[in-house]
Amino acid sequence: MVRTTVLKVYGRVQGVGFRPFVYKTARELGLRGYVLNSSGNVKIILQGDQEKINKFEERLKREAPPLSYISAIEREESFELELFEEFFIKESEKEDGFVFVSPDIAICEECYREMKDPKDRRFNYPFINCTNCGPRYTIIEELPYDRASTTMKRFNMCENCEKEYKDPVSRRFHAQPISCFECGPRLWIKSKDGDQTIGSGVGLELIKKITDLIKQGKILAIKGVGGFHLVCDATNNEAVALLRKRKNRAHKPFALMMKDITMVEKYLYLDSKEKKLLLSKERPILLLKIKNLGDISELVAPNLLYLGVMLPYAPYHHLMFDFLDVPVVMTSANISGEPIISDNKEAETKLNTIVDYYIFHDRDIRHKTDDSVGFVVNGNFQIIRRSRGYAPDPIILPIKVKPSLALGGELKSCFTLAKDNIAIPSPYIGDLTNKATYEFYTDTLKEYLHLFKIEPEIIITDLHPLYVTTELGLDFSKFMEVKQIQHHKAHIYSLILDRGFKGRLIGFSFDGTGYGEDEHIWGGEVFIGSIEEGLQRVYHFEYFPIVGADYAIENPKRILLCYLSYNLPKFIEKVRYKYSEAELSIITKMIETKDILYTSSLGRIFDMVSSLLDIRDSITYEAQAAIELEMVATKSNILDIYPYELKQDTIEIKETLVEIIKDKERGENIPDIARKFHNTIVDLMVNIGKLLRDLYDIDYVGFSGGVFQNRLLLSLSIELFQANGFNILIHKNVPCNDGGISLGQLVGAIK
Ligand code: ZN
Ligand code: ZN
Ligand code: FE
């Protein structure tokens, strides 16, 4: 019997090269014992000098591999173990527990170098990876993370790969997706006409064939890491037009993939922060301001000043750009409203009317993930779709919660599983009013419960009686505690938890729509408070009626008509040309009955102003009217504001509207009017902020809700609040839109 130190390391410590690192470090220090993957942690058994064991612990914290993340280390002394002669790596043992799963990571520099090295045995190998890079979450079927529990299990390792896999000093030691030309997945091209396979294999020949098809103006479905992309030459106007037509997608922008930073800088403005993000291991799509659209088709992002761009992340993306000098459209392959397609057969049945060719590979995708999307504002990264590269990374909470499940909202849905101070948001899932998307939601939910071994004791949902997630949550009320948290409060709580903020703040929750505590539709709310004391609603935009809610959201001119009929009937004359006689009389009558819905949504106010300025009367994708209003406003630098009124607890903008109508009639520059409207919103926010600061002695302000995806508004708000001496909180890890709601709902589960 000998004194032995047992360390249990928790966090993201599996599948990230942690055991080889432990092995190397222990051997360097001359310690004996072993390391093994357990399903809740990595267990390290150490025998040797106490001093060396202490040194080992220090190095564990300081030098852990780049993709690992240590959330806790437990230490125990034991006298029950035999004496070991050396340090070794032991087979995984199965045990119940909480384990982190790494997201999927872009090809690392070392793998890239090997892929480009004619002397390397993986020269031009399309599926190269190592413990520092490659697919993870998308291929994991079971934990602990071992080859046999991934979709790579069907590929038998060749001798050379097996040698690397078993060599503790190799960068591919226990790299589960390890493979090579001899033993790994294959790519193949299939034409949509008939069953004909045009080519298959792993060679550069095949990659060249793929890029030839792109150059010929064909539309391709290319299987990626988390699902299929629809791909075509972004400089080929006809190809982009054809893709729009076949996909029945009129205006919604397409994301692009570009070869490298040089290509990005040719078309777009790029600062150092943005450059770093584009090159990061997460490889998100970044929305970047257009410098010169050049040869890129205007149909890629109609009416927008920004393009969504990402750099290659799968090895074969890089290989494709060996033959391509143009940006390509790379948009998630799905049927409108449905989740991204990830299965070969499903692609063939669902994309047959959209694409000319399929590029398949035979590494199955177990978990769908979309590309993540974000932008940089005033030096801060704002994620607006959190998926590949980020999910299922945990978020560390400033509070402790019961084992819980927060179900989120309904659009841009995302649920969060949590326990103690760890929250694991799901990837972006989408609009749950779509049946296929709801299935994706429940499937992912089951997977999460299974993988992360958290048994919720409490479920938290939105307050909206008609959200499918509310229904789902309430179904559980027979078995466990169910709580409901109001949507716009959840937005502010989400910001507080995202930033680990402790204290009181003034929270601006500016949004599309959500169900209010008074049964009206909220969306332009100001709260004060904290997690401990709760949030108190202190201001909101004055209610106005909305007739035919879903129709109105798609037709901003309807919102304008509702607003004017209710508040400024004599001004209807000015926009009469937008409406039929029937619509005019029906709306006027309905509003007189007063038996209608009322809203305080700022998102809807943006829609209405967009229509008023004849920028967009009806939309073809979510928030289009507000986005185009922002684009128009971005073209002006005017500093003026319109009048408005702050009453006891309401923000009134009748005068704002009257002045906008007058400006428009005088023929003022439309970008100036749009900008003045943005300035007005920021001005009223700061004035409210000052009033509340004086009244409650709070100098923290926070911004959350979908409206803050408007970067002109966000950036102006940050600047003006800063100039007025406020401390500012904006999101960091989760979206300000409804993708962040479930994180905020966790305040309902505080221990
Ligand atoms: Zn690598
Ligand atoms: Zn091999
Ligand atoms: Fe919302």
Side-chain angles (χ1 to χ4, degrees), residues 299-312:
L299 296 173
V300 166
N303 306 325
L304 302 184
L305 304 172
Y306 297 85
L307 284 184
V309 178
M310 62 185 149
L311 292 181

Side-chain angles (χ1 to χ4, degrees), residues 335-389:
I335 302 293
S336 186
E338 291 192 2
I340 187 168
I341 293 167
S342 60
D343 175 79
N344 291 358
K345 278 209 190 87
E346 194 192 1
E348 276 192 274
T349 46
K350 288 194 167 164
L351 300 174
N352 208 38
T353 54
I354 298 174
V355 305
D356 302 308
Y357 293 91
Y358 301 96
I359 316 302
F360 291 124
H361 61 64
D362 49 4
R363 184 179 72 205
D364 289 341
I365 297 169
R366 175 61 183 255
H367 299 121
K368 300 168 188 284
T369 56
D370 274 278
D371 294 312
S372 295
V373 184
F375 60 86
V376 172
V377 68
N378 300 42
N380 303 285
F381 180 47
Q382 295 289 285
I383 196 162
I384 56 175
R385 187 163 81 193
R386 186 179 183 276
S387 190
R388 180 188 47 79

